[in-house]
Amino acid sequence: MTRPLDRLSLRQMRFDCIVGLFGHERHTLQPVELDVTLHFDARTAAREGRLTRTIDYSRILGELRFVMVAARFHLLESAAEAIAGWLLLPPSQDVPRAQVEAVEVRLSKLVALSGAAVPTLEIRRDRDDFEFVTETKSFGHIDIAFETSECGVYRERIFPHTVLPTHVHHHLDESELVLGDGLLLQGEPVAAGTAHTWPRGFPHRYENPTDIEQSFLCIDRPKFIPTDEVEVDTPVSALRRTESTRFF
């Protein structure tokens, strides 16, 4: 008989974000409550006592808050599926952790019905439920965690000693959360857990000077448009950052 997996739960996470289809919901933050349960094998972590062998729940909290705030989902169904897809991705070199084999997601819109009821969606997804697509680019790999026409959730992994060239977008809004500790952003070091949003037409650039892949979580609204990533010849010394937010 197959041994049941171990479970780690994060409960009663609350975020103020844009989620909904209707006009007022697209322009007004509303509170949502999120619970997740991650199924994985905790035995190696128990024996070795290393955080990289288990799930860093403080980091997961920050990643999920970023996804909910940046993506501006139209439906709870899209939000839950995106969260499941993100949590089930294989670990990356710069952020080692246990592989999550299954995940349960519970999302509630706390004030959507003005107190008359609390609409809540619950889903469970296994790794086999997703056929993850990884695209290879000149600078590295892009793992597609989730896409709809409205938004895309991606992990971008930059090859060692490689540059993601300076570029702009003219037709999509982009928010990015740095995951590894080795990247340079706009030519300067940037700490893991730091997020920036790039307005349309704002040039940005990453460089990985380390010996392993380094990654960041990217949210595009609408989903990524290949022809809308336009390289520009802006000197690194002239690049600036937008205001940053720390998520972990």
Side-chain angles (χ1 to χ4, degrees), residues 202-219:
F202 198 104
H204 48 290
R205 172 189 192 272
Y206 289 90
E207 181 179 354
N208 177 10
T210 75
D211 294 330
I212 63 170
E213 286 187 344
Q214 297 286 332
S215 64
F216 59 88
L217 165 52
C218 178
I219 305 287

Side-chain angles (χ1 to χ4, degrees), residues 17-30 72 109 111-114:
C17 56
I18 299 292
V19 56
L21 284 169
F22 302 109
H24 66 283
E25 293 183 305
R26 301 309 303 161
H27 298 96
T28 305
L29 297 175
Q30 63 174 298
R72 302 189 175 199
K109 293 171 68 172
V111 300
L113 297 176
S114 303

